[in-house]
């Protein structure tokens, strides 16, 4: 479902004398449907960079980034947009939303974007918000004013609203209490059970051990750090 | 008489104006530019109409001039005198007898015939100017038949006044093509624009001539739910009793007394001559 | 899928000076593209060439018309192009007074395009004008007020309503939030985003404000000196800019 073949990533800083900084070399990995892979490695090793390359947020310098058969590194913007809409979900650590949009609609949006019936989408969003213990009185408010933990849960609800066949999870259990952590882990397990291919960053070792099938140490791809 | 060419203008100028008139008749409602001449009267006194009349008159014509329907106001008298002096044509106050009628702001009540020509004095020939001041743009709008703006004006009327308050110079569409300003005639007269006579419009200051040939379709613009209405004061004429003519309101004193009289003085006079009597006819005679 | 708009090799010169040159891209239905660059980069020239306000010296602007499919609007007849700009196209000017009739009421401003395409029922026109005032968050009791009595943000929202009332498929926007207070900008962007989504609009937005494109645009084109120096997904171009100029542009934004 997700396959990287010899992917490298460099940053060229044109405004700092054209310095070329290689950050990733020959990254190769493969994640099958129903599989969850954890990215590990020291801070700065390039875990987030790799996630962003897969999402198309960073442009790979060479190699192939295949998600659902599409090479993200070469695809047209509209193909990547369609991929993000239908196939590839991304739960980041931070919620980025337009002000004034009610929480319920923020969560339902990925479903509406793929043409889901509005009521069905709102019902599903409501179900997820309830599971993640967001008080019902907050649903009609914009999440911009919520606490950090509440925003994180809204973000997760939004990320799991549509059943993406492939998902990227960036610290999904960070800053959650035990009960909500449990809910998120079962959401991940359900996603695996329905066949989603998942790549994640988990600093929470317990969570990693519970949901991940294997680990990939990104230090192996870090230039100058490879053994 | 010897000092002037017939009807004041030189023959070359008359040819130029006639060409513009013919073009105007061939393209009903289209504003034809022409090289307006200096006339021995100020702009706003009917220089456009006078030039069209001068180019239209023949020695055999009988000429009538009305101003707001009246034959005896300064403007009408001056122009009538002007052509008596420069063309030597016969003049009349009777609509029936005239072959060329120059008018400011009215159409006579009597039905005009095929052998008559009516010449309108036009101050502003461009109906779209109210909302679009650029002449380049309005000419383009005419050529491309983009007339939505005309309805914006009527929309504004209704939204500000509850009804289409435009009472004169009410825009019309001629022969399903050009939107035209019928000159500042009251909208009561709009229905008469479909007539048997030739209608010529002259704007001297703006240097435009346009025309409506006999039996041409002329439709007043309106909305489906606010249809065009040819309104007049709801009153009979106090002198001749006519109920079908456009009326002027005359304030009689400072006690609020007023009377309504036909704006078309010839129409009113001819009705009284055959015995029609209005509410205040006697007092007026006394 | 047929692109809604295909721009091919557009060039406009002002004498020896380049306005914009060699610009090509496809815009698909529902896509919103931002064009960014500094003043004089050619982004407004390009927008005006595409919208038919300027005649390009070379190139094609092919629009997928409802009736006849893809047609080059550069060589199309003027009546056809003007009809397009009243129906399927819309243009939102930076200065609302360039896009509004300041002597006509808000309702008349919104109704103009409807009347231009033949609507002749006053009540229906007014109802739609009122509906649109509500959609752009202007108090509907102000339907008979002239835009001269409106604030800058209200004028801009009125201009948007006036443009969108005929349900266009492609909207050109020239610095739609320029000259507005930041709080007013945010509200306008939010509104635009909602309308784009709701109506399935395609849009081309010229701006120098990167926050505007981050919020509104799916795709981004960066221009400098009349050339397109970089194009791609908005978040990719902003988060991982490849060209020196784009890097400078992105790094020049003050972080709040």
């Amino acid at each position: 479902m997700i396959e990287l073949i010899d992917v490298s990533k460099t940053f060229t800083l044109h405004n700092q004398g054209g310095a070329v900084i290689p950050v990733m070399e020959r990254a190769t990995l493969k994640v099958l449907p129903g599989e969850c892979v954890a990215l590990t490695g020291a801070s700065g090793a390039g875990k987030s960079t790799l996630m962003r390359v897969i999402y198309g947020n960073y442009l790979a310098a060479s190699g192939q980034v295949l998600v659902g058969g599409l090479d993200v590194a070469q695809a047209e913007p509209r193909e990547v947009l369609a991929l993000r809409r239908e196939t590839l979900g991304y739960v980041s650590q931070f919620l980025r939303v337009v002000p004034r949009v009610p929480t319920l609609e923020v969560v339902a949006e990925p479903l509406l974007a793929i043409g889901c019936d509005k009521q069905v989408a709102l019902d599903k969003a409501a179900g997820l918000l309830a599971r993640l213990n967001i008080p019902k009185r907050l649903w009609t408010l914009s999440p911009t004013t919520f606490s950090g933990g509440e925003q994180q849960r809204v973000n997760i609800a939004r990320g799991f609203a549509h059943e993406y066949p492939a998902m990227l999870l960036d610290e999904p259990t960070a800053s959650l209490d035990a009960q909500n952590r449990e809910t998120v882990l079962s959401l991940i397990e359900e996603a695996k059970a329905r066949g989603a291919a998942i790549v994640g960053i988990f600093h929470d070792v317990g969570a990693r051990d519970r949901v991940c099938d294997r680990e990939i140490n990104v230090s192996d791809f870090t230039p100058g750090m490879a053994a | 008489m010897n000092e002037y060419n017939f009807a004041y203008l030189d023959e070359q100028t008359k040819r130029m104006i006639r060409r513009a008139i013919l073009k105007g008749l061939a393209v009903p409602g289209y504003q034809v530019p022409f090289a307006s001449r200096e006339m021995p009267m100020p702009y706003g006194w009917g220089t456009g109409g006078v030039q069209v009349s001068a180019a239209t008159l023949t020695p055999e014509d009988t000429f009538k001039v009305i101003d707001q329907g009246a034959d005896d106001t300064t403007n009408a008298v001056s122009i009538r005198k002007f052509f008596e002096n420069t063309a030597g044509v016969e003049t009349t106050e009777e609509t029936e007898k005239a072959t060329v009628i120059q008018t400011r702001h009215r159409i006579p009540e009597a039905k005009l015939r095929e052998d008559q020509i009516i010449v309108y004095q036009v101050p502003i020939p461009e109906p779209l100017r109210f909302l679009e001041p650029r002449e380049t743009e309005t000419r383009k709008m005419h050529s491309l038949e983009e007339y939505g703006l005309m309805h914006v004006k009527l929309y504004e009327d209704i939204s500000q006044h509850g009804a289409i308050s435009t009472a004169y110079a009410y825009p019309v569409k001629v022969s399903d093509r050009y939107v035209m300003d019928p000159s500042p005639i009251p909208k009561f007269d709009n229905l008469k624009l479909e007539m048997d006579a030739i209608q010529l419009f002259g704007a001297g200051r703006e240097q435009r001539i346009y025309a409506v040939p006999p039996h041409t379709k002329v439709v007043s613009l309106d909305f489906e739910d606010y249809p065009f209405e040819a309104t007049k004061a709801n009153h009979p004429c106090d002198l001749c009793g006519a109920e079908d003519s456009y009326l002027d309101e005359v304030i009689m004193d400072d006690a609020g007394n007023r009377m309504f009289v036909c704006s078309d003085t010839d129409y009113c006079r001819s009705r009284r001559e055959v015995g029609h009597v209005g509410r205040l006819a006697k007092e007026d005679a006394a | 899928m047929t692109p809604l708009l295909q721009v091919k090799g557009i060039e406009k010169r002002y004498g020896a000076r380049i306005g914009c040159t060699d610009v090509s891209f496809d815009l698909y239905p529902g896509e919103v593209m931002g064009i960014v660059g500094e003043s004089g980069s050619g982004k407004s020239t390009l927008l005006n060439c595409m919208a038919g306000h300027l005649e390009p010296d070379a190139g094609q602007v092919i629009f997928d018309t409802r009736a006849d499919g893809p047609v080059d609007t550069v060589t199309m007849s003027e009546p056809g192009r003007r009809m397009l700009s009243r129906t399927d196209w819309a243009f939102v000017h930076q200065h609302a007074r360039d896009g509004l009739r300041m002597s006509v009421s808000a309702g008349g401003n919104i109704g103009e395009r409807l009347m231009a395409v033949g609507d002749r029922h006053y009540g229906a026109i007014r109802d739609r004008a009122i509906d649109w005032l509500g959609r752009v968050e202007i108090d509907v009791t102000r339907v008979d007020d002239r835009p001269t009595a409106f604030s800058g943000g209200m004028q801009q929202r009125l201009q948007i309503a006036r443009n969108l009332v005929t349900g266009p498929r492609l909207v050109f926007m020239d610095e739609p939030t320029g000259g507005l207070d930041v709080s007013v900008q945010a509200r306008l962007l939010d509104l635009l985003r909602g309308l784009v989504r709701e109506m399935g609009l395609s849009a081309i937005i010229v701006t120098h404000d990167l926050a505007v494109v981050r919020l509104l645009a799916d795709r981004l084109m960066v221009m400098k000196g009349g050339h397109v120096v970089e194009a791609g997904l908005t978040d990719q171009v902003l988060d991982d800019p490849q060209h020196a100029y784009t890097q400078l542009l992105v790094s020049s934004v003050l972080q709040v």
Side-chain angles (χ1 to χ4, degrees), chain C residues 67-80:
Chain C
D68 305 317
V71 176
D72 182 8
T73 60
V74 175
T75 54
M76 155 186 238
S77 72
E78 191 179 11

Side-chain angles (χ1 to χ4, degrees), chain B residues 137 140 146 156 224-225, chain C residues 82 86 105 120-123:
Chain B
E137 186 65 17
K140 191 167 277 179
E146 290 179 1
E156 288 295 284
E224 289 160 14
D225 46 345
Chain C
R82 283 173 73 109
R86 284 202 305 272
S105 70
R120 291 291 179 264
H121 192 284
Y122 173 84

